[in-house]
Amino acid sequence: MIYVIPAVIAIVLTVSLAKKMPSYELFIDGAEEGMKIVAGIFPPLVAVLTAAYMLRASGTLDIIISFLAPVTKLIPAEVMPLALIRPLSGSGAIGILTEILNTHGADSEIGRIASVIMGSTETTFYCLCVYFAKTRVKHNLKAVPFAAAGDIVGIITAVILIKLVNF
């Protein structure tokens, strides 16, 4: 298993030598194109990650959760931070998931709900920022309600299924 990457590199170099292709120049061109892509998606990426961390660090996330508590009686309060951060930041969501699993355990109902939410939702706004920044889509706000609805359905379905199955 440890030889997979060196084997792939060896195969690529062997094929490029057999076809008499300038492998180093092609590698440099690909790296340059990759850096242009990174330069294009980096500013929106930083904006979304900063917003997610600011929400959590400032206490605004806790205020939003307490405001939504009467509306979301179905969703356990312990899982609400994950449900709110997951569409913004994958790494922030992993941190919250780790905290939930350490506090409640992976086999608890809360832990299972959090795990299913993590697996059945997407970092929606992160993806929208990155993809729309790269593709320069003009009417990107049309996708936001549908993407948010998909996350909401994923979260509610996770809660319902775990509470129904309760194994």
Side-chain angles (χ1 to χ4, degrees):
M1 189 64 160
I2 61 173
Y3 299 111
V4 172
I5 293 176
V8 169
I9 292 171
I11 291 169
V12 168
L13 289 174
T14 304
V15 170
S16 69
L17 286 173
K19 291 186 176 187
K20 297 182 180 172
M21 297 174 69
S23 56
Y24 181 74
E25 288 81 7
L26 291 173
F27 174 78
I28 296 298
D29 291 343
E32 182 180 354
E33 187 175 325
M35 291 306 291
K36 287 178 185 175
I37 291 171
V38 168
I41 65 172
F42 191 71
L45 177 66
V46 169
V48 168
L49 293 177
T50 302
Y53 289 119
M54 285 175 58
L55 276 174
R56 193 156 185 224
S58 68
T60 305
L61 187 62
D62 296 329
I63 293 170
I64 293 170
I65 291 168
S66 64
F67 179 72
L68 292 175
V71 178
T72 60
K73 292 183 190 271
L74 173 71
I75 302 171
E78 297 88 353
V79 179
M80 283 301 292
L82 177 65
L84 293 175
I85 287 294
R86 177 69 174 149
L88 296 173
S89 167
S91 59
I94 288 173
I96 293 172
L97 177 66
T98 303
E99 187 177 303
I100 290 170
L101 295 179
N102 286 338
T103 304
H104 299 281
D107 292 330
S108 67
E109 184 178 79
I110 301 288
R112 288 194 312 265
I113 290 172
S115 297
V116 173
I117 287 173
M118 194 68 179
S120 63
T121 58
E122 180 59 63
T123 52
T124 304
F125 295 103
Y126 168 85
C127 289
L128 291 177
C129 285
V130 170
Y131 296 143
F132 288 161
K134 178 61 185 149
T135 59
R136 305 285 186 219
V137 173
K138 291 184 172 92
H139 304 291
N140 55 13
L141 288 180
K142 292 180 180 179
V144 172
F146 296 106
D151 281 335
I152 291 168
V153 167
I155 291 164
I156 292 171
T157 304
V159 173
I160 290 171
L161 288 177
I162 293 299
K163 287 189 178 216
L164 282 178
V165 174
N166 200 11
F167 51 90

